[in-house]
Every structure is written in structure tokens, then in C-alpha cells.
Amino acid sequence: LGLGSQQPDTVDPLKLQAELMKTFQNQLQVLPVDNSQIVYVSFSCPDKTLAAQVANTFVEEYRRFSIDDYESNIKQAKEKIIGKINDVRASLQKTEASLQRFTASRDMVVTKDDTNPYIENMVKLDQEVIQAEKDRIVAETELQKSSNSAVSSTNGVLTNQFMQTLKSRLAELQADYQKKLEIYKPDYPAMLQLRQQISETESKLAQETAKFQQNLQLSYEASKKQEAEIKKLMEKSSKKYQTYVANMTTYNELRRDLDVEKALYDSLLTRLKEIDAANGINANNIATLEQAS
């Protein structure tokens, strides 16, 4: 090495190591063989036996270094993956707990197809509101007719058999009275009796009309009350629907976070299995085809 002129106690160990490494590198040759994955390793020195030993030892040490380096990388990767798995598991448990607390605090019912459970009820109530409005309008119209001269044209009167009988009877008595008035005087006993019948029939008809008007009033009030009650239920259902929509927005966000974390957790577990599988395979792809001689 050309260091014989220096006394051992004056040699710098670091400088000596650097010069030895430089000399070693100069005497070592690693030449690739064209169009192959083969390299030719040789070492030159006056002692041919030592030269072969150095070349063979260099190849063996490099092979061991590759294995150790691979195993070290595998270990570091595994530790890193396990750390991420623990972090994601903790976050996943936290998100699941948050989702459970949220649904419990809102008393939510989440269907598998995520449909709003209040939709069907709202559609039903909407139809009932429309029908209640129609019923109220009909009852109001009949009541208005009964409060004036058009009472006889109301549907209730036209379909009331007893009132129609009274009206027919009254018309017959009045016609008979007018016809007999041409013959008899009003104070004639038969005429007085006929007028008494007319008066009684008118009184009965008035009583029935009053009852009919009262029933119309009650029917109108009932239909009006029914309409108000259904609209009140509709309003409550609408509020529940809006609250459900707002709750589902938050729920879906939490659920989406949970699904993402689950997917990440499964991915990390798969990656850990792949690392374990790779760790069982001989990582060394270096082989000596022929020893140096």
C-alpha cells in the first residue's frame, strides 16, 4: 500500500482506512455481462489464492447484506403498517361510537334502502287534506244554500224522502184549498179544516227544515274540524320529514367516513398479510454461478 515509510504510531487510522478502501476498490472489478443479469467479479493482488478468497467473500457478504437489508425493510414496513392499523382501528371505533350515539339521540329509524319513512305517511295525509277540503267546501256550500231561499235546492233536501213527502203533501193541500176556495168561503168548516192541515204540514216542514239546517251546520263544523286536524298532522309530519332529512345528511356523512375508514382498515390488513407472505419467501435473488479460483 506504500505505507511502510510511516511509523505505526504516526498513522492516522481514518486515513489508513480510507486508503485501504480506495486500494480495495481499485483492485476489485465488477463487470456486467452484456444482455444478461450476470456480473463478473474479480479481485487482483499478487497472491492468487487471496485474490480468489477476496472475490468469493465479497460476493457472499453482498448476498448476506442484501438479505439483511431486505429483512430490515420488511420489518420497518410491517411496523409502519401495524402502527397505521392501530390508528385506523381507533378512529374506526370512535366513528362507530359517534354514529351509534347520533342515531340513538335522534331516535332515528334507518331503513336498508335509505328511503324516508315519512314519505308514505305524507303522501297519505296530503290526499286526506285534499279530500277534507273538498268535503268542507261541499258542506259549506250546502249550508249557505240552506240559509236562504235556495234551501229546497240543496242535495240534502232533494234526497230527504220525508221532506219531499211533506212538500208534496203541502202542495196538494194548498192546491185543494185554492180549488175549493172557488166554491166555499174561508170560514166554511171544511175550509177551516183544510187550512188547519196546511198549517200543520207547514209547521212539520219548518221543523224538518230547521233540523236539516242544524245538521248541515254540524256537518260543516265537523268537516272544518277534520280538515284542521289533518292539516295539523300534515304540519307535524312535514316537520318530522325535514328533521329526518337534516339528520340523514349528518348520518350519511358519518356513515361515509365509517365506510372510508373500514375500506382503509381492510386495505391495511391486506397489505400486512402481503408483507407477512413476502417475509416467508427467500428474498435473496443472488446466486453464485461459479466460484472464483
Side-chain angles (χ1 to χ4, degrees):
L1 296 178
L3 301 175
S5 60
Q6 299 184 31
Q7 298 299 323
D9 57 349
T10 62
V11 176
D12 184 354
L14 294 178
K15 183 177 180 182
L16 177 60
Q17 182 179 3
E19 291 183 358
L20 285 173
M21 182 60 66
K22 182 177 180 181
T23 302
F24 176 80
Q25 290 175 343
N26 290 335
Q27 293 175 238
L28 179 70
Q29 285 188 326
V30 182
L31 301 175
V33 178
D34 294 340
N35 300 321
S36 73
Q37 293 182 330
I38 301 173
V39 294
Y40 178 77
V41 180
S42 65
F43 187 79
S44 301
C45 75
D47 188 338
K48 61 182 180 180
T49 301
L50 178 61
Q53 290 177 348
V54 171
N56 291 329
T57 301
F58 173 80
V59 171
E60 180 62 22
E61 289 300 320
Y62 182 77
R63 189 183 69 83
R64 291 179 181 175
F65 170 79
S66 298
I67 294 175
D68 293 342
D69 184 61
Y70 178 82
E71 290 178 349
S72 176
N73 290 336
I74 287 290
K75 183 179 179 181
Q76 292 178 5
K78 186 174 181 179
E79 290 176 349
K80 187 176 181 180
I81 290 294
I82 291 175
K84 288 185 177 180
I85 287 176
N86 292 334
D87 292 341
V88 173
R89 183 189 294 115
S91 178
L92 183 60
Q93 293 173 348
K94 184 178 179 180
T95 304
E96 285 179 337
S98 298
L99 186 61
Q100 291 176 359
R101 285 195 302 270
F102 179 78
T103 53
S105 64
R106 300 300 192 278
D107 194 23
M108 292 179 61
V109 178
V110 182
T111 57
K112 292 183 178 180
D113 55 357
D114 292 336
T115 57
N116 193 317
Y118 299 100
I119 291 261
E120 184 177 352
N121 187 48
M122 286 190 63
V123 172
K124 180 182 177 182
L125 287 174
D126 186 59
Q127 294 175 348
E128 291 181 359
V129 167
I130 294 174
Q131 185 60 45
E133 288 178 345
K134 290 181 179 179
D135 294 342
R136 190 259 306 161
I137 292 172
V138 170
E140 186 175 11
T141 302
E142 292 293 298
L143 181 61
Q144 290 175 351
K145 286 181 179 180
S146 70
S147 61
N148 52 43
S149 57
V151 63
S152 58
S153 64
T154 59
N155 294 329
V157 171
L158 295 176
T159 58
N160 191 311
Q161 187 64 37
F162 182 62
M163 293 184 68
Q164 291 299 321
T165 301
L166 288 176
K167 289 177 65 177
S168 298
R169 177 60 179 165
L170 180 61
E172 290 175 359
L173 290 173
Q174 289 175 340
D176 188 29
Y177 181 83
Q178 292 297 326
K179 183 177 180 181
K180 290 182 177 180
L181 191 61
E182 296 176 357
I183 303 174
Y184 304 104
K185 293 182 179 181
D187 57 351
Y188 186 74
M191 296 297 287
L192 293 175
Q193 184 179 6
L194 191 58
R195 285 174 58 189
Q196 179 65 27
Q197 292 176 352
I198 291 174
S199 178
E200 291 176 355
T201 303
E202 288 177 339
S203 178
K204 289 181 180 179
L205 185 59
Q207 291 176 1
E208 290 299 319
T209 301
K211 289 180 181 180
F212 175 74
Q213 290 176 329
Q214 184 179 10
N215 289 335
L216 287 180
Q217 181 68 36
L218 292 174
S219 177
Y220 169 71
E221 294 295 336
S223 63
K224 186 177 179 181
K225 182 179 179 180
Q226 179 71 7
E227 180 185 5
E229 289 178 351
I230 296 177
K231 285 185 176 180
K232 190 175 181 180
L233 291 175
M234 184 69 176
E235 184 179 355
K236 289 182 178 180
S237 182
S238 178
K239 289 181 179 179
K240 288 182 179 179
Y241 172 83
Q242 294 173 2
T243 300
Y244 180 85
V245 170
N247 289 338
M248 281 303 297
T249 300
T250 303
Y251 173 85
N252 288 331
E253 291 176 355
L254 291 172
R255 186 70 197 180
R256 189 162 46 247
D257 292 341
L258 184 64
D259 291 341
V260 170
E261 289 176 351
K262 282 185 177 179
L264 178 59
Y265 183 74
D266 292 340
S267 176
L268 290 172
L269 288 178
T270 301
R271 179 57 181 156
L272 181 60
K273 291 179 181 178
E274 291 174 351
I275 291 176
D276 287 337
N279 195 26
I281 301 174
N282 186 4
N284 183 31
N285 60 351
I286 301 173
T288 302
L289 299 181
E290 183 178 352
Q291 291 283 330
S293 59

